[in-house]
Structures are given as C-alpha cells and as structure tokens.
Amino acid sequence: MSRFGWVMLALIVIGVGGFLSMLSFGGGEVVVPETSAPATRKVTGGATALVLPIAGYPASSLHRDWGDPRDGGQRTHQGIDLMAAGGTPVVAALPGTVEKLFESARGGHTLYIRSLDRRWSLYYAHLKGYAPGLTEGQRVAQGQVVGYVGDTGNAGAGNTHLHFAVSWMRAGDGWWQGEPVDPYPLLAGKTASS
C-alpha cells in the first residue's frame, strides 16, 4: 500500500473511532461541553428527555414559529405557540423545580421550571392559572399538571394557547436569564406520554 493509502486508512480509523466514542451504549447521561451551541445539545433533565408541555397534544399540530416578528418587527418570537382550548392542562416537560411564578404584561400568568440538573429553564406563558397548590421551590415530576392553557398577557382575548420557551442555562444564571433555544426540533415527534 502507498503512503497516501496508509494516511487515508489512518484517517478513516480515527474518524470511525471518534464517531463510536460519541455513541452511548449504556444508561448514562452524555455530558455536553458548555462551549457547544445550544441547538446541538440534547435537552434532558438528568436522564429524562423533553416531552410536549400540553397533556394529549398531538405532535402533528406543532408549528414552527421561532423567529417570527412580533410587535411590528421590534422583536422576534423566541418560543413556540401551542394552540389549545382554554383550560387544557399544561404539564412539566421535564422533572424539575418551579423556579418562578410571575405575572408579566406580555406573558400574563407565567411560570419557570428549572431542570433537575439546572442546565435548562422551561418557560410557560399566557396561562389561565396555575395548578392548585403550585409554589415556587416545589419539585415537579415530568407530566405533572402545573397550569392551564389561557389567554392572559398580550395573547388577546380568546386566543388561547401556550407560549413555551426553552433556555440553556449557565452556572449562576437566574430564572430570567439563559440562552434561548428553538423548542420546535426538541418537541417534534414527541408526545406527552412518550
């Protein structure tokens, strides 16, 4: 074999070895370096993958609206709107801790859940209300009802939907901080029971 052939073989072996080293064959969680782009990270709350935040919501109804203009082009949409009937249960998409219950001019009744590993913040807006007894600092299980679809804030009367947003959090980030991540590819193909 020529020298070029040996070099190509070595590069192929190194490439295959690198690919195999990224595969997970066990139940352990893959730790992604903080330097990687948020869109390339798998959202997990420990070892649990993100699920749809509305109970029984059909994945086929998801609509990508990340980046759409808002307020006459003054800002862009940094979440996904899930249209649903008012009062439909909203669930924790990851197990975590209720970090903040907040009343906002834009979002109305809102809530923030921080994942158990503290790397992700989930934002729920335009809620009709919170689940009875829900408090800041409370641990919630994945799929647990945390609120109900509504039209509060700037949603507009009768425009019942859930605005759901995901942020990548760095150590020390507060509930209002983090780097927004497009939730659509994270939710596509998922169901609240998966």
Side-chain angles (χ1 to χ4, degrees):
M1 185 180 305
S2 70
R3 183 170 194 211
F4 176 76
W6 283 109
V7 169
M8 291 306 296
L9 180 61
L11 289 174
I12 291 171
V13 168
I14 291 170
V16 170
F19 174 77
L20 292 175
S21 72
M22 291 187 288
L23 297 178
S24 174
F25 295 100
E29 179 182 358
V30 176
V31 177
V32 180
E34 196 153 317
T35 58
S36 66
T40 64
R41 298 183 183 115
K42 179 179 178 186
V43 178
T44 62
T48 307
L50 189 70
V51 298
L52 285 168
I54 295 181
Y57 195 84
S60 60
S61 294
L62 289 173
H63 172 73
R64 175 176 258 151
D65 54 0
W66 174 269
D68 286 357
R70 295 290 193 266
D71 292 335
Q74 296 297 313
R75 61 187 179 90
T76 60
H77 193 234
Q78 294 189 329
I80 188 170
D81 288 339
L82 294 97
M83 308 310 286
T88 302
V90 172
V91 301
L94 287 174
T97 302
V98 176
E99 194 156 75
K100 187 72 175 170
L101 302 175
F102 186 69
E103 187 67 27
S104 156
R106 284 186 187 157
H109 301 309
T110 66
L111 90 97
Y112 293 79
I113 296 175
R114 181 78 69 111
S115 64
L116 294 175
D117 62 11
R118 304 202 44 82
R119 294 179 183 176
W120 298 98
S121 179
L122 309 178
Y123 172 70
Y124 303 75
H126 308 303
L127 299 172
K128 178 178 183 176
Y130 306 116
L134 193 72
T135 60
E136 289 180 12
Q138 177 181 343
R139 277 272 178 103
V140 291
Q142 186 174 41
Q144 179 179 335
V145 174
V146 294
Y148 303 93
V149 173
D151 60 2
T152 60
N154 67 1
N159 184 22
T160 57
H161 70 282
L162 173 68
H163 170 87
F164 179 72
V166 176
S167 292
W168 169 254
M169 308 298 279
R170 292 176 178 79
D173 278 353
W175 59 269
W176 67 96
Q177 297 173 312
E179 188 175 340
V181 176
D182 182 356
Y184 179 84
L186 305 171
L187 296 173
K190 302 274 185 198
T191 64
S193 62
S194 65

